[in-house]
Amino acid sequence: MGIELLAPAGNPEKLAMALHYGADAVYLAGKELGLRAYAGNFTTEEMAQAVALAHGQGKKVYVTVNIFAHNRDFAALPAYLTELRDLGADAILVSDPGVFAVARRTVPDLPLHISTQANVTNAEAARFWAEQGAKRIVLARELSLSEIKEIRQAVDIELEVFVHGAMCMSYSGRCMISDYLTGRGANRGECAQACRWKYALVEETRPGLYLPVEEDERGSYVFNARDLCLLPDIPALLDAGVNSLKIEGRMKSVHYVATVTEIYRRAVDSALAARSAGRPPRTEGSWWEELAKISHRPYTRGFLHGPPGQEPDLSYRRDYDFVGVVQAYDPQKREAEIEVRNRIRLGDLLELAGPGRTPFLAIVNELRDDEGNAIDQAPRPHQRIRIGVPRPVAPLDLVRRPKDGGEESFLKVRIDPSHIFYLDIILEGFGHFGVPTTVDKEAGLVLIRTTPDTREEVIRVLDSLPWPVAWEGGESKPPQTAGDLSDEKLPSPAN
């Protein structure tokens, strides 16, 4: 087989996003017997629709049946496996030898993938599963690149490796914290993610005195690992003979699934193109910028280059809020219909992004509901709204907003449209410490991205320009302005 990019599908919407943003295959679960019982998952009817959608695009669907089964789980197992085969699943993932044995007897024609929960960390274990009839092994996340190469050389079986997502604190996901604290078994698909809760210390001679484990205002995560990110290692993994690159995250948002899938799609395609052309592969800076826009802990390369060191900074990071999904675009009105996921207000600075296109910025200058009425905000999830956008968009494009002061990194200005070109040249001449982005060329609206270190200097440069600049947004007006120009002083937009 070729190189496969495998993405998570926690529910039907995430499945559609994963396929739209470049996945070759998805993995999902039914309502039972999978290790993410709270991911939403799929009914039988939804699974049939998912298989039809994926196969219609020439892509595959794998179903997880990877719980650590108890005796009571086996009564319904044969019928469930038969149902998965009849639905057209391309393979099932299993970790328990008993489940594997029943699957081999019940659905011998259905390919079996060995889950990472089976802890395959060596060539002998890989050889064992190959001899039992498994088609693929999802290798344990605790392997180095050299160990992966050794396993590849030892066995003729498909190998799958996790390349991105949360890493469980316990070895290959074998964790009892959730079961102990809540009665919800992590290895039966009911993990409460107790490793991410807030904790405090108690000293034995001071009962009742709780000492917080300080981290930041969002709490502490004393058990949890960083998030895996092997983006720069994609070429090495391909050279090592890995067949499938897997993204973790069936319980993550559609924003996460879409963004991560697209970036790894670009990385895989770029690595293959570089190999074909005989040139060194490269990791683009724009890929890192996109991965910074999703919720994540600081990234780590895990065990790929040896045991990870001490990495104490474990707080979540999110530079952008995911606020909507594009449903339609009217090219005559240059207007996007958006399904809201988080509050959108007049004056918001939004970024729109879709597969294969460079993200662009837009200011919400006009906001209307689905009946065409003007509104000043859209607070309800799944509410349909319409906004003007400066460039074409497409259904399933993402809409996001800079988070927690992100807008303060932008200066919103209005200038004569004929001067926009010169503004870029001037800022570049000053070391390009401010990067302008044209939002509305006809109206002369421009956003200038700055940093805390360069903001004051950019304002000084704008204040010294030979033509007038007006600042957009009352309360966000910067501390120094170009003569505090009012709208009356603005030049008329060019015709």
Side-chain angles (χ1 to χ4, degrees):
M1 66 172 289
I3 302 301
E4 175 186 88
L5 180 61
L6 177 58
N11 60 33
E13 183 184 24
K14 295 173 188 176
L15 177 138
M17 281 289 192
L19 297 177
H20 183 67
Y21 279 80
D24 299 305
V26 294
Y27 62 102
L28 54 83
K31 292 295 185 179
E32 53 187 349
L33 302 179
L35 274 184
R36 288 295 180 269
Y38 297 96
N41 297 329
F42 290 73
T43 64
T44 299
E45 181 180 357
E46 289 171 339
M47 205 178 301
Q49 294 170 349
V51 171
L53 178 64
H55 287 181
Q57 300 179 31
K59 301 179 179 184
K60 297 182 177 181
V61 174
Y62 308 137
V63 182
T64 62
V65 192
N66 57 346
I67 65 166
F68 295 139
H70 289 247
N71 290 331
R72 61 184 179 273
D73 296 312
F74 285 87
L77 182 60
Y80 182 60
L81 295 175
T82 301
E83 180 179 70
L84 295 181
R85 179 198 62 194
D86 294 344
L87 287 173
D90 295 284
I92 59 173
L93 285 90
V94 302
S95 57
D96 184 276
V99 174
F100 184 94
V102 171
R104 290 287 291 162
R105 293 197 302 268
T106 307
V107 286
D109 52 337
L110 184 59
L112 300 179
H113 295 181
I114 304 304
S115 169
T116 191
Q117 268 72 31
N119 307 131
V120 176
T121 57
N122 59 78
E124 289 301 323
R127 188 176 290 112
F128 168 82
W129 286 114
E131 292 172 351
Q132 300 306 308
K135 181 179 181 181
R136 177 183 297 182
I137 296 171
V138 186
L139 295 175
R141 304 183 207 199
E142 294 80 11
L143 292 178
S144 67
L145 184 62
S146 61
E147 289 174 314
I148 293 172
K149 291 179 179 179
E150 290 170 0
I151 293 174
R152 171 75 290 161
Q153 293 169 0
V155 294
D156 184 18
I157 188 173
E158 292 180 8
L159 299 180
E160 181 176 304
V161 170
F162 277 96
V163 294
H164 196 95
M167 294 187 70
C168 185
M169 179 64 186
S170 294
Y171 200 90
S172 288
R174 292 177 177 261
C175 177
M176 293 297 293
I177 298 174
S178 175
D179 206 354
Y180 180 78
L181 294 180
T182 70
R184 288 166 48 175
N187 296 311
R188 296 182 56 76
E190 301 172 345
C191 181
Q193 296 192 342
C195 61
R196 297 174 183 252
W197 295 355
K198 296 179 181 180
Y199 289 88
L201 300 176
V202 177
E203 200 274 325
E204 63 178 347
T205 65
R206 297 175 176 84
L209 177 60
Y210 297 95
L211 306 174
V213 181
E214 297 289 348
E215 182 178 312
D216 61 22
E217 68 280 1
R218 300 197 58 165
S220 57
Y221 310 90
V222 296
F223 295 122
N224 210 352
R226 292 189 171 208
D227 282 356
L228 181 68
C229 180
L230 299 186
L231 184 65
D233 300 297
I234 297 302
L237 289 169
L238 300 186
D239 291 342
V242 172
N243 304 102
S244 180
L245 305 173
K246 187 171 191 174
I247 299 168
E248 182 274 340
R250 276 185 287 152
M251 296 180 69
K252 299 289 184 65
S253 70
V254 294
H255 180 216
Y256 169 95
V257 172
T259 301
V260 176
T261 300
E262 184 186 13
I263 292 308
Y264 278 86
R265 175 79 276 156
R266 294 184 191 180
V268 170
D269 292 347
S270 176
L272 292 175
R275 175 195 286 178
S276 177
R279 54 179 169 77
R282 56 182 298 178
T283 304
E284 301 290 343
S286 60
W287 301 347
W288 289 113
E289 291 176 7
E290 286 297 293
L291 291 182
K293 295 174 183 177
I294 58 173
S295 291
H296 66 95
R297 296 180 184 277
Y299 288 130
T300 177
R301 294 162 89 176
F303 293 80
L304 197 68
H305 300 283
Q310 297 297 312
E311 298 168 325
D313 181 10
L314 301 180
S315 58
Y316 265 117
R317 295 179 177 178
R318 184 174 67 191
D319 297 328
Y320 284 66
D321 275 331
F322 171 52
V323 298
V325 178
V326 173
Q327 302 297 312
Y329 174 68
D330 185 331
Q332 278 72 42
K333 296 181 179 179
R334 297 173 69 186
E335 185 177 79
E337 179 183 343
I338 296 170
E339 183 181 276
V340 176
R341 297 304 172 85
N342 203 337
R343 186 189 303 269
I344 297 176
R345 300 181 180 89
L346 274 176
D348 273 355
L349 170 66
L350 302 179
E351 182 179 75
L352 294 95
R357 297 196 304 279
T358 301
F360 67 91
L361 297 166
I363 296 177
V364 182
N365 291 316
E366 183 180 14
L367 188 60
R368 295 188 291 121
D369 63 19
D370 56 359
E371 296 180 351
N373 301 312
I375 55 178
D376 59 4
Q377 63 175 310
R380 300 193 309 274
H382 303 292
Q383 180 179 0
R384 297 291 181 100
I385 63 169
R386 301 173 191 174
I387 66 171
V389 291
R391 302 183 196 174
V393 291
L396 300 187
D397 280 3
L398 304 174
V399 186
R400 52 201 178 201
R401 178 178 56 228
K403 180 181 174 59
D404 293 337
E407 285 198 48
E408 281 73 27
S409 67
F410 293 93
L411 296 172
K412 301 179 186 180
V413 300
R414 189 181 302 199
I415 65 175
D416 186 310
S418 64
H419 295 146
I420 291 177
F421 172 75
Y422 300 104
L423 179 62
D424 192 14
I425 294 176
I426 290 172
L427 290 173
E428 185 174 7
F430 279 88
H432 228 174
F433 47 59
V435 182
T437 299
T438 302
V439 174
D440 188 335
K441 187 174 182 180
E442 293 180 0
L445 281 174
V446 178
L447 295 175
I448 303 173
R449 186 188 298 267
T450 67
T451 68
D453 294 334
T454 65
R455 183 180 177 84
E456 184 175 344
E457 185 67 13
V458 172
I459 292 172
R460 186 190 66 76
V461 172
L462 294 173
D463 192 43
S464 66
L465 293 176
W467 16 266
V469 173
W471 304 98
E472 288 289 307
E475 68 278 5
S476 60
K477 189 174 182 179
Q480 299 93 6
T481 68
D484 195 19
L485 296 174
S486 64
D487 287 344
E488 287 74 18
K489 299 178 182 178
L490 285 176
S492 300
N495 294 326

